[in-house]
Amino acid sequence: MADERTLAEELGFAPDAKLLIINADDSGLCHSANMATLRALEMGAITTTTAMPPCPWFPEMAAIAAANPELDVGLHLTVNCEWRRYRWAPIAGARVVPSLVGPEGFFWASEEETVAYGTVEDVKTEIRAQIERALALGMKPTHIDNHMGPLHYRLDFFEAMVEIGHEYGLPARVPFYHEVAAAHDMPCIQSFGMYYSPEGGKSAKCELYEAHLANLAPGVHEIAVHLADDTDEWRELCYVAIDDHPWEDRIFDYEYVTSPSTRQRLHDLGIQLLGYRALQELWQRRLAAK
């Protein structure tokens, strides 16, 4: 007989539990992002992070994860590079995955270009290369997701990500295409939220976060934030690398998730925090029971 329990029940919670994964995307991007993310993880203000394997500061985040295996650290699979003067390229090499690079030899700048020009064969090669880099650096990732979303915008790309995740035992962020995850018995979130800085700045973004939390239904949900310390490195990176990226946005995200008032808000709403390691371990139990 099929297991008819809810995902929350499989994870050991009440059937009507509200469970929230708070993931910090983009660790590995720079030192300031790594330090803010590490501090938030240690505080329990976030439950997990995903690091970007092609980025220059990924080795630092990988070393942190290897030295602190209790931390819930996954991989932010990255197949485009939207930053104007801060560029990264495929780990597999531009000549090996030519459909993923633009004329300068770096990843395409936009997810639209990646979707339009990329081949699924090159995507598979690069995903494996990124996972293998993490393993070579001593990481034991808990899950995978995708920077900027191009792996979600084509079904064959998404299927490739989930299939390779299965190969390495890494559950994927699955905001839709749940049937793809189901084919692998992979547990998946019920909803996903992410917010960039709106008109109105901090107060407007705070309202978005507060409304999101207030509207969570029973089930397993995920929200992504982006963290950085207010440093010269971070401000200069935003200034030279991208014209419209407000440096304050990631500082606010850090302030919001680490605020005692946010922790109290979660408590008042009956929201319990969860990491991806719990989904990874549940998936292992499901597969072992087959």
Side-chain angles (χ1 to χ4, degrees):
M1 181 177 178
D3 192 335
E4 296 180 354
R5 294 177 297 169
T6 65
L7 179 56
E9 288 177 292
E10 282 192 272
L11 291 165
F13 296 89
D16 60 348
K18 297 178 182 179
L19 304 173
L20 180 63
I21 298 166
I22 304 178
N23 187 82
D25 285 3
D26 290 7
S27 57
L29 177 69
C30 62
H31 180 66
S32 300
N34 288 349
M35 293 300 98
T37 298
L38 174 60
R39 201 177 312 111
L41 281 169
E42 292 176 335
M43 294 170 63
I46 59 174
T47 57
T48 182
T49 182
T50 39
M52 304 171 72
C55 290
W57 284 91
F58 177 76
E60 179 183 64
M61 198 65 210
I64 290 169
N68 300 275
E70 75 282 1
L71 297 179
D72 194 323
V73 182
L75 301 178
H76 204 43
L77 300 174
T78 303
V79 291
N80 70 288
C81 178
E82 76 281 13
W83 292 67
R84 183 165 52 93
R85 296 196 188 103
Y86 182 45
R87 310 305 307 280
W88 48 83
I91 291 173
R95 293 183 179 180
V96 176
V97 289
S99 71
L100 299 182
V101 300
E104 298 174 340
F106 301 106
F107 281 122
W108 293 108
S110 70
E111 58 269 39
E112 292 84 3
E113 289 170 306
T114 302
V115 168
Y117 301 118
T119 68
V120 70
E121 292 79 12
D122 285 356
V123 163
K124 288 179 178 180
T125 298
E126 180 60 19
I127 288 175
R128 286 198 176 92
Q130 293 190 19
I131 295 173
E132 289 293 336
R133 169 170 286 183
L135 297 175
L137 290 171
M139 282 186 70
K140 294 182 178 179
T142 55
H143 64 297
I144 53 177
D145 59 29
N146 178 219
H147 180 60
M148 300 294 290
L151 298 183
H152 294 147
Y153 299 157
R154 270 178 52 176
L155 180 57
D156 58 345
F157 284 5
F158 187 77
E159 289 174 334
M161 181 173 70
V162 171
E163 288 169 7
I164 294 172
H166 192 169
E167 180 181 325
Y168 285 91
L170 301 174
R173 174 189 287 165
V174 183
F176 37 77
Y177 294 138
H178 284 186
E179 68 280 3
V180 176
H184 295 270
D185 287 323
M186 183 183 291
C188 54
I189 55 175
Q190 183 173 318
S191 74
F192 174 72
M194 182 172 64
Y195 301 99
Y196 292 105
S197 184
E199 293 293 331
K202 290 184 178 181
S203 61
K205 193 171 189 184
C206 185
E207 289 177 5
L208 291 173
Y209 281 146
E210 293 293 296
H212 189 96
L213 296 179
N215 290 324
L216 279 188
V220 179
H221 308 272
E222 181 178 357
I223 191 167
V225 295
H226 298 79
L227 309 182
D229 281 337
D230 185 358
T231 63
D232 289 343
E233 177 206 36
W234 176 243
R235 293 194 187 204
E236 187 67 16
L237 183 61
C238 290
Y239 175 74
V240 303
I242 194 164
D243 290 324
D244 59 354
H245 192 87
W247 64 266
E248 302 97 329
D249 196 43
R250 300 192 186 207
I251 311 306
F252 169 73
D253 274 9
Y254 177 81
E255 293 172 348
Y256 181 80
V257 297
T258 60
S259 169
S261 62
T262 299
R263 181 58 62 91
Q264 185 62 47
R265 178 73 168 154
L266 292 168
H267 178 270
D268 292 344
L269 292 169
I271 297 171
Q272 301 176 74
L273 298 184
L274 186 73
Y276 260 97
R277 180 172 282 112
L279 296 184
Q280 185 182 42
E281 292 172 349
L282 170 60
W283 191 26
Q284 291 168 347
R285 293 195 298 271
R286 285 181 176 180
L287 295 175
K290 294 186 69 173

